[in-house]
Amino acid sequence: MRTRKDLCSLLLCYALWGFQPLYWQFLNGVDSFIILGCRIVLAAVFSVFLLAVTHRLPELKAVFCNRKLMKILLPAVVFLLADWAVFIIVVNAGHVLDASLGYYFNPLLLFAFGIVFYKERCTKMQLAALGIAVIGVVISSTAFGDFPYISLIIAFNWAVYATLKKNVTLDGVLSICVETLILTPFALAFLLILKPADLAALQSPEIWFILGSGIVTALPMFLYSRSVHRFPLIFMCFAQYLSPTFNLICGLITGETFTASQIVSFLFFLAAIVVFMISEIRQTSRKKE
């Protein structure tokens, strides 16, 4: 049974993700893989700390001993790692628009996964919204002048991760703690063996932003893990348009330029969200009657 808190958690999650490019801009002089390794380790530390102060560490051990859960979480973290890596590389290279387009593609994949793997049904208005979104994706793709491989990789990584997490009912703190702890040994090995000189060369402002990356990474993941299993994938696919929309705002703030055709395509995405939300409101009203 989903509540207002679940909806607020989901919306805040997408807002935090959407405006993250502004945070990573402060680290655009740092190697992207250094940032990735540090955010994994620090997110794990932050997560373990939260579990410790709330006396929930025994639950963490129980998850690692649960073979059924680990069979889902182990492949999920692979796609989570791929998503984080590609996103940081693309954003630090000054291509927020590529990342944004990827997350616009993603809900279409979630829509398909929801129907294929979970037999979720959709209304005519939801199909109409999907059609509007497809038009927007086509316009966005042609506006780049070539096939957007990076955007499709981003879309696929997160769609698979979200679909796998649909089967996990762990709360946000416990879920992200397990996922980052799985990746931490590899991240530490990479940082300490391959990048010790780069770590030592970090300057004072960069160090503070690196330290904050654990919270910036973990907090939206907490919120996402808390709410993802409470909503149908069809709903999730359209709610996720909020994050790339905020990414676009970040692109404008950081000086990226957008063509008229790209702006038009984004209006199609917004129109799709409106149509879908109207469908959701109508369905909710009918259930109450």
Side-chain angles (χ1 to χ4, degrees):
M1 184 71 180
R2 55 181 181 262
T3 65
R4 284 186 179 181
K5 287 184 178 180
D6 297 324
L7 181 59
C8 289
S9 294
L10 189 66
L11 295 178
L12 180 58
C13 159
Y14 286 128
L16 291 172
W17 270 330
F19 288 107
Q20 271 194 12
L22 296 180
Y23 187 89
W24 303 125
Q25 283 292 316
F26 291 102
L27 292 169
N28 59 10
V30 180
D31 185 297
S32 297
F33 291 102
I34 291 287
I35 299 172
L36 178 62
C38 289
R39 72 183 295 199
I40 289 171
V41 175
L42 293 169
V45 171
F46 180 59
S47 305
V48 170
F49 171 76
L50 287 181
L51 290 178
V53 297
T54 53
H55 309 289
R56 298 182 58 198
L57 288 179
E59 295 179 42
L60 181 61
K61 181 180 178 181
V63 174
F64 278 105
C65 293
N66 188 323
R67 292 185 178 182
K68 184 178 180 180
L69 278 178
M70 294 307 293
K71 285 181 180 179
I72 299 172
L73 290 174
L74 285 174
V77 298
V78 174
F79 290 97
L80 176 64
L81 177 64
D83 178 77
W84 284 354
V86 175
F87 182 78
I88 289 179
I89 292 171
V90 170
V91 170
N92 279 14
H95 299 288
V96 178
L97 187 57
D98 285 326
S100 176
L101 180 59
Y103 291 115
Y104 274 125
F105 272 124
N106 178 40
L108 301 179
L109 293 180
L110 278 176
F111 184 93
F113 287 178
I115 295 173
V116 173
F117 297 112
Y118 293 99
K119 310 301 180 184
E120 295 180 355
R121 297 180 180 180
C122 60
T123 66
K124 290 181 179 179
M125 285 193 71
Q126 289 170 340
L127 284 175
L130 178 62
I132 294 171
V134 169
I135 293 172
V137 168
V138 171
I139 294 175
S140 294
S141 300
T142 55
F144 279 92
D146 52 39
F147 197 71
Y149 294 102
I150 293 176
S151 300
L152 285 176
I153 291 171
I154 289 176
F156 180 78
N157 285 337
W158 191 257
V160 175
Y161 174 75
T163 303
L164 290 170
K165 287 297 294 287
K166 178 74 175 174
N167 299 301
V168 178
T169 56
L170 298 177
D171 71 86
V173 178
L174 194 58
S175 180
I176 190 60
C177 187
V178 172
E179 292 167 14
T180 51
L181 281 175
I182 291 171
L183 294 172
T184 291
F186 304 100
L188 281 175
F190 172 79
L191 292 171
L192 299 179
I193 297 175
L194 300 179
K195 297 289 185 176
D198 294 311
L199 284 174
L202 291 175
Q203 302 298 313
S204 180
E206 295 170 342
I207 292 174
W208 287 110
F209 282 106
I210 286 286
L211 291 174
S213 67
I215 297 175
V216 170
T217 297
L219 183 56
M221 292 299 298
F222 294 162
L223 298 170
Y224 182 80
S225 296
R226 179 188 186 280
S227 56
V228 63
H229 63 277
R230 301 177 188 271
F231 294 91
L233 277 180
I234 292 175
F235 176 85
M236 294 294 292
C237 79
F238 283 93
Q240 193 162 329
Y241 279 127
L242 295 172
S243 181
T245 300
F246 295 142
N247 285 164
L248 292 181
I249 296 173
C250 293
L252 290 172
I253 293 173
T254 55
E256 289 192 51
T257 57
F258 300 90
T259 66
S261 61
Q262 290 167 349
I263 293 174
V264 170
S265 68
F266 297 137
L267 292 177
F268 274 97
F269 294 135
L270 294 177
I273 295 172
V274 171
V275 172
F276 185 82
M277 290 306 175
I278 292 173
S279 174
E280 281 288 309
I281 291 170
R282 285 185 176 182
Q283 283 187 302
T284 303
S285 300
R286 287 170 184 171
K287 289 179 181 178
K288 289 181 179 180
E289 293 177 353

